[in-house]
Amino acid sequence: MKQSTSPPGDPLSVSRRSFLKNLGTTAAAGAVSAAEGIAQESARAGAEAVQGPDAVPITLRVNGETRPLTLEPRVTLLDALRDHAGLTGAKEVCDRGTCGACTVLLDGEPVYACMMLAIQAQGREITTVEGLARNGNLTALQEAFVDKDASMCGYCTPGFVMSLTALLRRNPHPTPADIHHACAGNLCRCGTQPRIVQAALQASGVEVLSRTEVISYAHLA
Amino acid sequence: MPTWPEKRSVLGRRVRRADGPLKVTGAAKYTSDVQPAGCLYGMILRSKWPAARVTEIDLSEAARSPGIKAAILVRDGERRVRYYGEELAAVAGTTKQACLDALRKIAVRAQRLPFVVKETDGIKPDAPRVWEEAPNLSKPQVTERGQVEQAFAEADVVVEGTYSTQIEIHHCLESHGNAAVWNGDELTVWSSTQGVFSVREGLAGNLGVDQSKVRVISEFMGGGFGSKFGPGVEGAIVARLAKEANAPVKLMLSRFEESLAVGNRPSSIQKVRLGATRAGKLVAYELDSYGTAGVGSGAATEGGGGGAEFPAPYIYAIPNTRVQHRGVALNAGAARAFRAPGHPQASFGIESILDELAVKLGLDPVELRLLNDPSEIRQREYRLGRDRFGWREKYRSPGSSPGPVKVGVGCAGATWGGGGGGTRAQAQINPDGSVEIRCGTQDLGTGTRTVMAMVAAEVFGLPPEAIRARLGDTAYPPSGGSGGSTTAASVSPAVYDACEKALTELKQRTGLEDVRGENWKPACRKLGLEPLVVSGQWQKGLSSSGVGGVQFAEVEVDIETGLVRVRKITCVQDCGLIVSRLTCESQVNGGIIMGIGYALYEDRVMDAGTGVVLNPNLETYKLPGIADIPEIDVVLVDMPERGVIGIGEPVTIPTASAIANAVANALGVRISSLPITPDKVLAALGQVKEVTA
C-alpha cells in the first residue's frame, strides 16, 4: 500500500484527491484486506488537522513566482488566481468544468481551474495565460491568434490559448483533428473556432491562407 | 455630403485586431476582472418558484453572517414572482463564499401559485394567468394585403405546414454584471454592456440621480448578442449594495442565472399556407403564429407578440398575404433582443415552406428563389453562390442520397438594416505625433477599436497601429448602443468627420500643405505645447443600410443515429464598404456558427411539472464545439459606393433555414421544428415508409 509521504505536522500535503486515490489503491490491493485498509486510511486522514472552514495560509507557484495567499480551503484554484492573486487572465464562464475558459497548466498539463481547490494545487507549477509571453514577446501561438484573428470578444481566448499551448508542447505538428481534440473542452460563443484552428496550424509552421474572398458587386452577373 | 476617398490604402485591408495582443495575453480587463480597492462581491437570491406570492423576506440572519456588509430587498413589501429565477434579495460580502453562505440564511415566506411554462399549455383558456389582469394569449395583430382567400382558391398549388423555433439563450461567455463605486453622490460603474450610455441612462433613472453623476465604463466586454443594453435588475442592485455597504461592489451573474433571467430569443409556432402558380410564382401567403417572450409577453402587449412577432413573408414579395401574430405569456424569463431579432424565426418558416413548394412543383429550390426574390443583390448572390457551392452537382431529389449517411443541400436568403447615426467622436493629435480617437461606443468583440483606428489611419496616412482608439466610457463623446448592426456604420463616419476636420485644422495651424504620412510627425511638432482636439459627428453619405445575403448548406445525416453534421456553408453577403476585412470575416464566421447552434443544438428546456429551466448550464444547453464547425466559405460583396453597413446580424439569419432545408433534402422528410436533434430525426424517419440502407 502506498504510504503517505507527508511530513508529520504538514496537514496540507494530503489533498482530497490523493486521499481518494490512496483509497482506490487500497481497495484494489485485495478484497479481503480492503475494508481493513480503508479503515486504516480513514483513521490516518482523520488524525490530520481539519482544514478550514476559516482561511488558511497556502502557497502557490504561479508563472515561476511563489505566491503566499490566505484563503478558505473551499476556494477553487480559479477564484484563488482571479480574486486573491490578481491574475484575471483565466476566466469564469461556467464554473463547472464545461467551457474551458479557466484552463491553466498544472505541471504542463491543461486543467480546469474551476474544478480543483487551490489547496490541491500547492507544490505544482501553475502556468496562466499571463505567464506565456516573455518580456512582452508573444509566443508563436499568441502571435498566430492575433494574425488569424482567432479572438473576437476575447473571453474564451485565454482558455483556448492554454489548451493549445499544452498541445503544441507535446505535439509540435498537430493535425486539425488533434487541434479539435485538444480544444474539445473549450467553448466559444462568438464563433472564432475556424480561426483558432488556423492559428494553431500557423503556430506549428503550417501556413493557412484564408479562402474568404471580396468580390465587387459590379462583377457579379 | 462627404464621401469616402476613392482610393483607399487602409480601409478594406486585413489589419490585425487592435486589441488582439491584450486578449491573447490575458491583459484585457473585462468588468469581471475589475477589482477596485476594498471591493466586495455581490450575489442575488432568486425565486425558486415559477409563480408565488412572496409575503415576507427576512434578511436579518444573512445581514449578520460573517463578512456580509449589505443585505437588501429587491422590492419592498408583499409581491408576486412570475418566473423561476426572479430577483428577490441581494447581499454584498468580503468573499464569494461569504455571500453564498449568507444567501442560504435568507428566509422567504411565500405562497405558491399555479404556473404555466409551455406555449401549448399557456394558450389554453383555463391556463393559470401569468399576469392576473389579462389572458396569457394576446389579441391577434393582423395585417392583410390583397385578396387572400381568392388567391388561394385560384392558386395552382397550395402547401401547408407548421414550423416551430425554440427559445435560444444568449449565453455570452462573460456573464451580465457590473462593478459599482460611489464617490460621494457620484457613481462609477464598470459594466459588461453593449451600451455604456444606455446603462448610464437606465441607472440614473432607476437611482434617481442625474446622468451627469453616473459614469459607465466598458473597456472590454465578453459578448452581448442583444442581451446587454440596459443595466438590468442586477445593475440597479449592485449600485444599491455599494451605497448600503459604503464600499465598491462587483456583482457578476453565474451561468445558472444567465440561463434564467437575462434574456432569450422568443419561440415561434408558425402555421403557414403558401399558394403558387404551376410555374412557381408565389401568389398567396397566410401565417398564423404565436410565440412566447416569457413574462415579457402578456398584459403589457395586448394585440401583438410582445417580442415574439417577426417580419412575414419576410424577404419575398407576395401580392396576397394575411399575417397574424400573437404572444403567449409564460412563467419564464423575459425575452430580449437577440442577434437579428425576429429574423431567424421569420426565415425558418418561409424558407421551409418554400422548399416544400419546390418539392411539390419539382423545381430546383434556387430557381424558385430566383423566381420570387425581389432583391437584385440576392439574385446576383444566389447565382454566384450556386456556382461556388457546386449546387447543380450536389442537389438531388429529396431522400435519394444512398447509404446510411445521407447527404443533402439547402439554401436560404436574408435581409437586415445595419445603418448608422447619432454618434460623435473626438480626435486628439498630440505634439509628438501620437493620435487618440475617442468615442463613447463599445467593442463587443466585433472590432470597433480596429475600425476606429483604421478610419483615422486612412485619413492621416498613418499605419493603424499608430492610432490609439479609446472607447467604452461615457466620459467620451456619445454614441448609441451596439445593436442592430449599427456600430460600424455609426462610428466610422463620426471618426472620419473628426479626422478630416483635424487634418484641415492641422494644416491651418502649421501652415503646411501636406501633413500626411511621413510629414505627420514634423507637422505635429509645430503644434508646440497644445494638442489639437477636434470633434466630429456622424454624417450622411458615409453609411447606408439594407443588406442582402444568401447561404448554402451541405449536411450529412446518419439515419442510424439521427446525428446531423454540417459539412459546408457557403455564404455570400454584401455589407457596403468593407472597413476592416479581417474582423468583418470573423463576424461572418461567428454569425454562421451561431446559426448552426440554433439549427442543431440550442434549446432552453422548461419542465412543465416544476416550472424550472432543466438545462441551466453549458453541458446540457449545447453550444457548437470546435469539432462541429464545418468548412465555411465566405464571399463578401463589396459595394463601397454605399458607405459602411453593419454585418453582425444578417449573417446569422439564414444559416438554420439552409441547414434545415439540407436535412430535409437528405432525408426526404422534413424536421419542422428547431433544433434538429437526433431524436427528432429518428422520429421523422419512422414516418418514412422505405429507407434505403
Side-chain angles (χ1 to χ4, degrees), chain B residues 674-690:
Chain B
L674 296 183
I676 302 172
T677 46
D679 58 319
K680 290 183 192 172
V681 171
L682 294 175
L685 286 173
Q687 297 160 12
V688 176
K689 288 197 182 103
E690 232 179 303

Side-chain angles (χ1 to χ4, degrees), chain B residues 84-99:
Chain B
Y84 174 74
E86 193 166 346
E87 302 84 356
L88 293 177
V91 298
T94 48
T95 63
K96 287 177 188 168
Q97 289 72 26
C99 293

Side-chain angles (χ1 to χ4, degrees), chain A residues 72 74-76 79 82-84 86-96 98-99 101 129-133 138 142-143 145-149 151-158 160-161 179-181 183-184 186-197 210-221, chain B residues 14 16-17 20-21 23-26 28-30 32-33 35 41 95-98 101 168-174 221-223 225 255 338 376-377 380-381 383-384 388 444-445 578 581-583 585-587 589-590 593-594 602 617-619 621 623-627 629 631-639:
Chain A
E72 293 179 28
R74 60 175 161 167
V75 172
T76 62
D79 280 351
R82 289 179 53 81
D83 299 343
H84 297 266
L87 292 166
T88 55
K91 302 290 188 245
E92 180 186 314
V93 171
C94 72
D95 206 22
R96 54 192 286 161
T98 309
C99 73
V129 72
E130 290 96 335
L132 298 182
L138 304 185
Q142 289 172 317
E143 282 290 352
F145 259 67
V146 181
D147 274 349
K148 294 293 172 193
D149 204 39
S151 65
M152 292 182 74
C153 85
Y155 213 69
C156 71
T157 308
F160 275 99
V161 167
I179 294 164
H180 288 172
H181 186 74
C183 297
N186 293 80
L187 291 173
C188 167
R189 188 51 158 161
C190 295
T192 58
Q193 295 94 336
R195 292 188 149 174
I196 287 172
V197 176
S210 170
R211 293 194 50 218
T212 302
E213 266 191 67
V214 173
I215 296 179
S216 163
Y217 181 66
H219 292 147
L220 286 188
Chain B
R14 284 200 177 111
R16 281 165 46 121
R17 188 177 289 262
K23 287 177 175 172
V24 300
T25 55
K29 291 286 176 193
Y30 297 76
S32 59
D33 301 331
Q35 198 93 323
Y41 296 88
T95 63
K96 287 177 188 168
Q97 289 72 26
D101 292 345
E168 182 185 21
I169 295 181
H170 299 76
H171 276 309
C172 327
L173 290 199
E174 182 181 34
M221 65 87 73
F225 311 111
R255 189 56 37 190
F338 197 152
E376 177 57 28
I377 291 177
R380 294 191 191 188
E381 289 172 341
R383 287 196 287 266
L384 174 83
R388 209 176 155 98
L444 276 55
I578 297 163
R581 183 170 162 189
L582 193 62
T583 58
E585 293 164 349
S586 288
Q587 282 206 75
N589 284 343
I593 291 166
M594 197 170 255
E602 300 182 39
N617 51 60
L618 292 177
E619 67 264 25
Y621 185 99
L623 300 180
I626 196 163
I629 311 301
E631 176 192 352
I632 298 175
D633 182 27
V634 177
V635 179
L636 299 172
V637 178
D638 194 25
M639 304 177 77

